[in-house]
Amino acid sequence: MIEVTGLRVVLPPSTVALHGVDLSIERGEFVVVLGRSGAGKTTFLRCLNRLVDPTAGTIKVAGRAVTGAGAPAVRGVRRQIGMVFQQFNLVRRASALDNVLAGRLGYVPPVPSLFGSFPRADRERARACLDQVGLGHLAARRADTLSGGEQQRVAIARALAQRPAVILADEPTASLDPALTSSIMDILKAINVEQGLTLVVSQHQLETALAYATRIVGFREGRIAFDGPPAALTPTVVRAIYGEGETP
């Protein structure tokens, strides 16, 4: 589902964020990306949908080239990739339903969408996605009146509205009360299991990764320090990812 070869990213002026990363992710995997702040987790995720342009290397998602693709091709690839951000990235004055409809923007003509004109099927799809995350009853509520956990569920519904093959989530629980972590991760896991979607989720909580991942990829200083099942994440491996004396 995701093929990454020789991925290198140099951020201005000369910071090497990723050093020649090679990674293959199969359809239906739930991959949690671990690592300290600055290890390259976010840069890696943002390269997968071209929010960050790689300096070198190649990326394919669902068999389509991400790197080297022109604007129309990138737009097509992004339809296949849902993105959930740490800070939700919702339009605060818009309703929950309108925020979810933003997930359909890649499928409709741009001019009608500017005026909120979406086909009936898209509106039904958006409502179904809100129902899926348990927020159908709040469809008309403005985003800025929702709690943090509810806003993140709207963001997940927006990603689902795209009908993606892959969902990327960049530390989706980092901005939430710790008590809400399991509710958000439960939703993501259900999407993975029930719909067979491939999920790549960056996390800073080791216990969360162990509880939900089918595979863990550990980054350290822009390189992969570990790639394997949760059961193989021994204390020695944790030190290899986070360093001596560090705790995730």
Side-chain angles (χ1 to χ4, degrees):
M1 179 57 69
I2 299 174
E3 294 283 345
V4 178
T5 305
L7 182 62
R8 178 178 172 83
V9 175
V10 181
L11 301 176
S14 58
T15 301
V16 181
L18 295 174
H19 299 261
V21 170
D22 296 318
L23 190 66
S24 178
I25 297 174
E26 300 298 325
R27 184 183 303 273
E29 287 194 281
F30 192 116
V31 178
V32 171
V33 180
L34 286 177
R36 298 175 61 183
S37 177
K41 306 187 302 297
T42 294
T43 300
F44 174 73
L45 287 182
R46 287 173 172 263
C47 283
L48 295 182
N49 65 356
R50 282 280 295 279
L51 290 176
V52 170
D53 281 319
T55 306
T58 61
I59 300 171
K60 288 185 178 181
V61 175
R64 303 179 68 174
V66 176
T67 47
V74 168
R75 186 171 185 259
V77 170
R78 283 177 175 163
R79 292 175 182 172
Q80 297 293 306
I81 306 171
M83 187 78 182
V84 179
F85 299 90
Q86 178 178 330
Q87 299 295 339
F88 319 138
N89 283 21
L90 301 180
V91 180
R92 294 178 57 81
R93 292 176 176 270
S95 69
L97 180 63
D98 285 342
N99 272 285
V100 175
L101 279 168
R104 302 301 301 165
L105 288 174
Y107 296 87
V108 298
V111 174
S113 68
L114 288 175
F115 297 95
S117 178
F118 288 85
R120 180 177 178 180
D122 284 348
R123 291 190 170 274
E124 291 175 352
R125 170 69 181 169
R127 289 186 180 277
C129 291
L130 279 173
D131 287 337
Q132 190 172 343
V133 299
L135 292 182
H137 62 296
L138 297 180
R141 285 271 298 273
R142 275 178 38 156
D144 58 5
T145 69
L146 302 176
S147 70
E150 289 168 342
Q151 288 187 55
Q152 192 60 292
R153 283 192 276 166
V154 171
I156 293 170
R158 178 182 60 195
L160 286 173
Q162 293 180 219
R163 294 190 182 273
V166 174
I167 289 182
L168 311 176
D170 186 14
E171 298 203 18
T173 61
S175 297
L176 303 177
D177 185 291
L180 294 173
T181 293
S182 60
S183 66
I184 295 300
M185 294 300 293
D186 285 345
I187 290 171
L188 293 175
K189 187 64 175 180
I191 291 166
N192 168 249
V193 172
E194 296 170 8
Q195 299 188 30
L197 293 183
T198 305
L199 270 81
V200 185
V201 181
S202 68
Q203 262 290 346
H204 63 284
Q205 297 174 338
L206 179 58
E207 290 183 358
T208 301
L210 292 172
Y212 291 93
T214 60
R215 176 181 174 189
I216 293 174
V217 176
F219 275 79
R220 183 173 182 182
E221 297 179 352
R223 295 180 171 88
I224 293 178
F226 172 78
D227 182 1
L233 202 67
T234 63
T236 299
V237 172
V238 172
R239 286 194 296 271
I241 297 171
Y242 289 98
E244 293 290 339
E246 297 286 343
T247 55

